[in-house]
Amino acid sequence: MSSIGTGYDLSVTTFSPDGRVFQIEYAAKAVDNSGTVVGIKCKDGIVIGVEKLIASKMMLPGSNRRIHSVHRHSGMGVAGLAADGRQIVARAKSEAHNYESTYGEPIPIKELADRVASYVHLCTLYWWLRPFGSGVILGGYDRDGPQLYMVEPSGVSYRYFGAAIGKGRQAAKTEIEKLKLSELTCLEGVIEVAKIIYGVHDEAKDKTFELEMSWVCDESNRQHQKVPEALLEEAKAAAQAALEEMDAD
Amino acid sequence: MDRDATADVNAPHSMGTTIIGVTYNGGVILGADSRTSTGLYVANRASDKITQLTDNVYICRSGSAADSQIVSDYVRYFLHQHTIQLGQPATVKVAANLVRLLAYNNKNMLQTGIIVGGWDKYEGGKIYGIPLGGTILEQPFAIGGSGSSYLYGFFDQAWKEGMTKEEAEQLVVKAVSLAIARDGASGGVVRTVTINSEGVTRNFYPGDQLPLWHDEVEAHNSLLDILNASNPEPMST
């Protein structure tokens, strides 16, 4: 999978002879090595979950948030370099605010995804800028219903039913494909996402982790918010139980 | 007389005007008179004050003709770009918001009252009134221009929610006619534009076919018709 781009990988403005821009691929590696971020589109909304790897026991639970609200109706989960991710979120907030000031309505999620993708792509065009070392999963609920987008460090953005980035993305995607998303409500979706995150977490390789989840759905009045405490605990418990069942086999 | 007789002809064009926008069950109807005056001179007695911004959004213009035209040109331009970016028709709310941003931010230089009306798939038919200072107000019906002063009581009486297209059209034509009858700065013909899910329809009501009120006289083509009458003799006692 990885290859050395000797000589052609020094600058983001250099193509390799086989048409690759190595700097962008290296940026994607930063995302691949980070904690998993999962997003799914249920029939009545979006659920985003993050496997937040805890670097130190001294950290306060709930700090170093990986999921941020962009606007009342949308939020994004960030993977990769945290500081880079913060910039992307700041830009998204700014775009959403400006759009509403000019056009008098909340920014359509498709438009927001386009703008974020354009911005990330912009930073791959100049030698004096480096690409963002983070990818985001953007979920929102506008007048066309709930929508889920993913933006990669290269600047590509696609709309998804289910998406995953980070360490456990392969396993997570397999699990997501097993779900019948069009029949799932967000209440059920929260439990499923928790199970997936607990499932893909590698106890052997990684330290402990904290599960962070958010949703935007009919239950939450189409506002993006943290999954309520009670439901989060229920999801964690269900995920633990599912894990023990698997181990028992 | 010290007033130059040609002063009126060169004065800035203003639309004294009566403009109306009304929602009905399924869409909106915009109506207006057709008089553009420069002082006391009627510069255009058949103007079209209902202007298109997009396929589904039109505006009624009042006040300074130049100001209202420039505002509608800018908003048409912005909406066109917005539609391309979005990949679908702009909503009436967005069109109205763009109009009011121009009206508010340039309030010291502009003198135009605008009624924005249209239909979109999310909200259906909507009317937004944007008077002089740049306020934006979404209303079931809106009236504007100098002739509108005479219509406030009329609408309080005659307006009702959920009219049919025919009822709403008749209401608009009657209202504009009433205003034309009483407001010297409004006159000419009545134009209406109906916008709904099926598209846009323009209607035209010539000045001599407007409903008459209690003290008005039947329209005559010419008093010279008397010569063609059966008995051309002078009146007998």
Side-chain angles (χ1 to χ4, degrees), chain B residues 16-31:
Chain B
T17 303
T18 306
I19 50 172
I20 298 179
V22 141
T23 58
Y24 72 91
N25 180 19
V28 298
I29 305 199
L30 300 176

Side-chain angles (χ1 to χ4, degrees), chain B residues 12-211:
Chain B
H13 285 46
S14 148
M15 299 174 301
T17 303
T18 306
I19 50 172
I20 298 179
V22 141
T23 58
Y24 72 91
N25 180 19
V28 298
I29 305 199
L30 300 176
D33 73 306
S34 68
R35 178 170 291 182
T36 303
S37 37
T38 58
L40 291 173
Y41 173 68
V42 176
N44 187 349
R45 61 184 169 95
S47 25
D48 182 7
K49 303 182 187 181
I50 308 178
T51 303
Q52 182 181 27
L53 293 186
T54 68
D55 287 344
N56 55 317
V57 179
Y58 279 66
I59 60 167
C60 296
R61 303 179 289 111
S62 77
S64 154
D67 288 355
S68 65
Q69 282 173 13
I70 211 81
V71 167
S72 75
D73 286 349
Y74 269 117
V75 177
R76 191 181 305 120
Y77 169 63
F78 295 139
L79 277 177
H80 183 222
Q81 295 182 318
H82 180 68
T83 303
I84 292 173
Q85 179 70 18
L86 229 56
Q88 58 183 30
T91 58
V92 189
K93 188 172 188 189
V94 164
N97 202 58
L98 290 172
V99 173
R100 74 93 178 216
L101 283 178
L102 283 171
Y104 177 76
N105 289 323
N106 298 292
K107 61 162 77 195
N108 291 330
M109 292 183 286
L110 295 176
Q111 200 175 71
T112 168
I114 290 173
I115 295 178
V116 180
W119 184 94
D120 60 59
K121 71 181 188 205
Y122 299 106
E123 299 281 340
K126 284 286 178 191
I127 293 285
Y128 292 85
I130 303 165
L132 240 44
T135 324
I136 180 172
L137 196 55
E138 198 251 298
Q139 302 163 293
F141 69 88
I143 55 179
S146 56
S148 68
S149 317
Y150 309 102
L151 296 178
Y152 284 95
F154 173 71
F155 269 90
D156 284 344
Q157 174 81 302
W159 162 262
K160 52 188 208 302
E161 194 68 50
M163 290 183 284
T164 65
K165 179 158 67 120
E166 291 67 33
E167 285 177 328
E169 178 103 7
Q170 278 169 24
L171 179 68
V172 168
V173 174
K174 191 163 174 188
V176 180
S177 313
L178 279 170
I180 287 176
R182 292 293 181 179
D183 177 31
S186 301
V189 307
V190 179
R191 296 191 194 273
T192 65
V193 171
T194 307
I195 312 172
N196 52 35
S197 58
E198 283 143 40
V200 177
T201 317
R202 268 196 178 275
N203 278 316
F204 169 81
Y205 300 85
D208 61 352
Q209 283 170 28
L210 299 178

Side-chain angles (χ1 to χ4, degrees), chain A residues 111-122:
Chain A
E111 181 66 20
L112 179 60
D114 276 350
R115 292 194 183 194
V116 170
S118 279
Y119 180 61
V120 171
H121 177 240
L122 182 77

